[in-house]
Amino acid sequence: MRWSQLYVPTLREDPADADAASHRLLVRAGFVRQLMAGHYSLLPMAVRVRGKIVDVVREEMARIGSQEWILPALHPAEIWQRTGRWEGMGEEMFRLKDRRGADLALGMTHEEIFTTLAQELSSYRQLPQMWYQFQTKFRDEPRPKSGLLRVREFTMKDSYSFDLDQAGLDRSFDLHHAAYTRIFARIGIPAIPVQASSGSMGGSASVEFMSPTPAGEDLVVHCPACRYAANVEKAGSALPAAADGEALAAPERFDTPEARTIEELARLHGVPAEQQIKTLVLVADGRPLLALVRGDHSLVEQKLLDATGARTVRPADADEIKGLLGALPGSLGAVGVTGVTGVTVLADHALAGRTGMTTGANQDGVHLRGVDVARDIAVTRWADLREVRAGEPCVQCGEALEVVQTVEVGHIFKLGRKYTEALDVTVLGQDGAAVKPIMGSYGIGIERAIAAIVETHHDEKGIAWPVAVAPFEVAVVPIGKADEQTAAVVDDLYGRLRAERIDVVLDDRDERPGVKFADIELVGIPYRITVGPRGLKDGVVEVTTRATGETVQVPVAEAAAHVAALVRAAVAPLAG
């Protein structure tokens, strides 16, 4: 390919609305353009990167025996209604009606559709099956941002496994885990596999692959000593015991007219946050509940959803709180609440056995001290509800935990039989009895992978693509006054590299060397061969490595083979 034939609309200045490094650089380097919030056009250079990522994924899916499909992106509501997710997916699902008034959805994911196709399976002899596709997904994100990291329309590689029993699912899950590990290594994404919540997907086990980046919105709790890692929505820690307050024979009321927050109660009345009970009034699936955590802890909403099995949860409004407890936020508590209202009280494990605690009295401007949790609060259910913080001891080895900002680049689930039961998929087992196959689901966002690679591989000059996914592996750049010798060497190098099956671009533009070099560095091509009259007088060309900035002189006759060897050496260890 010649640069004069390419459409690469590079920009000299950063776009004003770009926050993440990948967003800024993908726009500046001419890879993407925004159509509207959450919807991006991939320009030719981005399509080349996307194609290389897809090729790597296809190779690894074939390696574990998965078969490729293409399924519709537009789905009938009836299938989603049968699994209960038509309502459960909420506002993130794009819904529409056709001209006959039938309800339809733009696919967020394809569990239901693949499971419908699995209704044609009839015998254990046909299992296991592993199926996958590359398909556009649609999610009505409330806050699309950061370029390709959080969008409303994207390509997902989603896989689905069907097995006869749990042992088979475990094998399919492990195969995908290994495949994903290889994929991310090959395309240059540092991915931490972490324990995660299954959320609306359902199932018994879930692992997210998380890539560290300041632009990420997910927090991963990570132990550098033993490699324990979990999404903050799932993570636990070995929480040290906290000192109790003064024990009393019964809770004692005291006035707190100016203390409406945990911090104010600590400052004005000398009650440490770890000796307070924070009471949160929530509405889960339309029913009120109280969530109790220690005063210095934060509630993780997904942990609450997992503990209750609720599909939706929201904070109660002021009128709902007043009607339920008789007071406004700032003086709320759970002492005596269950006996009066019958409301569910969910308490975090860190409150178990605590005495001498302080909480709201459900009267504005009044609190209770000397609360014994076991004696004074009728807890409906105990659960892990709190957010783990950096520095707390690891639950496995006791070392200090780290909290890392990340973006999710892959997610694998053990779904169980939720979908095969809802959609009535049955095969005959070896003993002739009917069996519901057990499923797994496995996803990678392709455009998000593009952005995640850039988040990791960039510098002040632009993108520095890993060789395996670069739009071009090598750029041949003639500089100086055009003459027959330079043209002959350039054409020969270009032809030799193409014969070596190297993805090469010839920068034949009539531009100054500085302009050419700046564009090639911004776009992120891994190797540059500079051909100029001065070097040719000595029989050499310059080979520059984008990632390190190192430049070496190589004899003209050896240049093509030298660069081809660099390209193959960069890719071969990862592809094995």
Side-chain angles (χ1 to χ4, degrees):
M1 179 66 73
R2 295 175 182 270
W3 199 292
S4 60
Q5 298 172 310
L6 289 173
Y7 182 66
V8 190
T10 57
L11 306 174
R12 294 300 165 223
E13 302 294 332
D14 289 339
D17 60 343
D19 49 358
S22 58
H23 187 191
R24 172 172 54 85
L25 290 171
L26 287 169
V27 172
R28 267 198 65 199
F31 283 79
V32 303
R33 291 293 183 265
Q34 181 174 303
L35 177 64
M36 57 182 174
H39 299 264
Y40 284 82
S41 299
L42 300 188
L43 278 56
M45 295 292 267
V47 171
R48 296 182 69 90
V49 174
R50 179 187 181 279
K52 292 186 176 184
I53 294 172
V54 166
D55 287 345
V56 170
V57 174
R58 275 201 176 103
E59 288 177 16
E60 294 299 341
M61 289 297 98
R63 186 170 175 175
I64 64 173
S66 192
Q67 305 162 78
E68 184 171 359
W69 299 56
I70 300 178
L71 275 58
L74 189 64
H75 304 164
E78 184 270 336
I79 298 176
W80 286 78
Q81 289 165 347
R82 288 180 63 185
T83 63
R85 295 208 298 174
W86 179 258
E87 297 79 14
M89 284 301 189
E91 295 181 351
E92 287 193 6
M93 176 179 278
F94 282 102
R95 295 172 170 85
L96 63 154
K97 292 181 183 289
D98 66 15
R99 66 178 64 195
R100 292 178 294 276
D103 287 318
L104 304 170
L106 293 175
M108 301 175 63
T109 180
H110 276 70
E111 280 79 11
E112 281 83 354
I113 314 307
F114 267 106
T115 307
T116 299
L117 290 163
Q119 290 171 346
E120 294 190 40
L121 296 171
S122 59
S123 169
Y124 73 94
R125 298 180 187 276
Q126 296 172 283
L127 300 179
Q129 291 287 338
M130 289 188 290
W131 302 338
Y132 78 98
Q133 67 168 345
F134 296 95
Q135 180 57 281
T136 305
K137 312 290 185 182
F138 300 88
R139 296 183 185 176
D140 194 1
E141 289 279 356
R143 295 177 303 278
K145 59 179 292 189
S146 303
L148 299 183
L149 287 175
R150 185 169 291 279
V151 293
R152 304 201 300 173
E153 177 181 354
F154 58 97
T155 308
M156 181 182 285
K157 188 291 300 178
D158 48 329
S159 301
Y160 303 88
S161 61
F162 297 84
D163 285 278
L164 197 63
D165 53 26
Q166 184 66 47
L169 172 58
D170 292 345
R171 176 180 177 275
S172 295
F173 188 88
D174 291 345
L175 284 171
H176 278 85
H177 192 292
Y180 276 33
T181 300
R182 292 191 298 269
I183 287 167
F184 294 128
R186 290 180 62 181
I187 66 178
I189 295 178
I192 306 169
V194 306
Q195 300 173 29
S197 168
S198 296
S200 63
M201 304 293 285
S204 60
S206 175
V207 171
E208 290 175 335
F209 291 82
M210 310 297 288
S211 182
T213 170
E217 295 185 338
D218 293 308
L219 297 177
V220 165
V221 177
H222 173 64
C223 178
C226 74
R227 313 297 292 177
Y228 168 79
N231 190 300
V232 72
E233 296 177 344
K234 190 78 172 179
S237 68
L239 189 67
D244 286 329
E246 181 183 0
L248 300 175
E252 179 181 281
R253 296 163 63 89
F254 66 107
D255 293 333
T256 55
E258 298 179 356
R260 295 178 53 81
T261 67
I262 298 293
E263 293 74 17
E264 289 170 346
L265 194 62
R267 176 169 51 84
L268 297 175
H269 297 275
V271 183
E274 61 268 25
Q275 292 178 6
Q276 298 183 46
I277 300 172
K278 184 188 299 182
T279 304
L280 303 168
V281 185
L282 305 164
V283 180
D285 287 350
R287 301 182 63 180
L289 66 79
L290 303 188
L292 311 182
V293 294
R294 212 169 76 183
D296 57 334
H297 290 164
S298 297
L299 173 73
V300 177
E301 182 179 298
Q302 186 60 53
K303 287 187 175 184
L304 184 140
L305 288 170
D306 291 342
T308 61
R311 293 178 178 176
T312 61
V313 64
R314 64 172 176 82
D317 61 36
D319 289 340
E320 289 171 324
I321 294 171
K322 185 77 172 179
L324 185 69
L325 298 180
L328 293 173
S331 301
L332 305 178
V335 174
V337 164
T338 301
V340 175
T341 66
V343 69
T344 297
V345 177
L346 201 64
D348 182 68
H349 291 307
L351 293 174
R354 297 298 305 277
T355 61
M357 301 293 284
T358 297
T359 188
N362 291 329
Q363 180 180 338
D364 292 337
V366 179
H367 278 73
L368 298 173
R369 56 187 162 209
V371 173
D372 183 316
V373 174
R375 180 191 67 195
D376 301 322
I377 298 177
V379 174
T380 309
R381 186 182 312 143
W382 292 92
D384 174 20
L385 300 176
R386 69 181 182 85
E387 181 177 316
V388 171
R389 296 176 297 189
E392 293 178 358
C394 174
V395 70
Q396 293 184 171
C397 72
E399 292 297 315
L401 292 167
E402 297 177 355
V403 178
V404 184
Q405 199 167 353
T406 65
V407 62
E408 177 191 318
V409 291
H411 204 164
I412 60 178
F413 304 85
K414 292 182 180 178
L415 294 177
R417 294 183 170 85
K418 171 180 177 178
Y419 298 93
T420 53
E421 288 177 351
L423 297 171
D424 195 25
V425 178
T426 301
V427 300
L428 292 180
Q430 195 166 4
D431 60 358
V435 177
K436 298 285 186 185
I438 190 168
M439 288 179 61
S441 177
Y442 320 90
I444 292 176
I446 302 301
E447 287 82 19
R448 181 177 285 187
I450 294 174
I453 294 167
V454 177
E455 287 291 324
T456 300
H457 300 276
H458 71 273
D459 57 23
E460 70 283 355
K461 296 177 181 179
I463 304 169
W465 293 107
V467 176
V469 297
F472 293 96
E473 296 158 340
V474 181
V476 177
V477 186
I479 61 172
K481 185 177 180 180
D483 57 38
E484 291 185 3
Q485 182 189 15
T486 301
V489 170
V490 165
D491 287 343
D492 182 66
L493 278 172
Y494 181 60
R496 285 174 180 265
L497 288 166
R498 293 186 67 188
E500 292 274 4
R501 303 184 69 81
I502 300 300
D503 209 354
V504 57
V505 60
L506 171 58
D507 193 346
D508 59 342
R509 294 175 294 169
D510 184 17
E511 292 281 4
R512 293 178 292 105
V515 172
K516 292 183 177 184
F517 294 166
D519 278 345
I520 290 167
E521 289 169 338
L522 176 61
V523 168
I525 298 173
Y527 300 104
R528 185 183 79 224
I529 304 176
T530 306
V531 183
R534 183 179 302 176
L536 291 180
K537 287 181 181 179
D538 298 324
V540 298
V541 295
E542 292 184 344
V543 176
T544 301
T545 301
R546 173 68 181 87
T548 63
E550 180 186 9
T551 297
V552 296
Q553 292 186 334
V554 180
V556 172
E558 301 172 13
H562 175 82
V563 173
L566 290 176
V567 169
R568 293 190 179 110
V571 174
L574 298 173

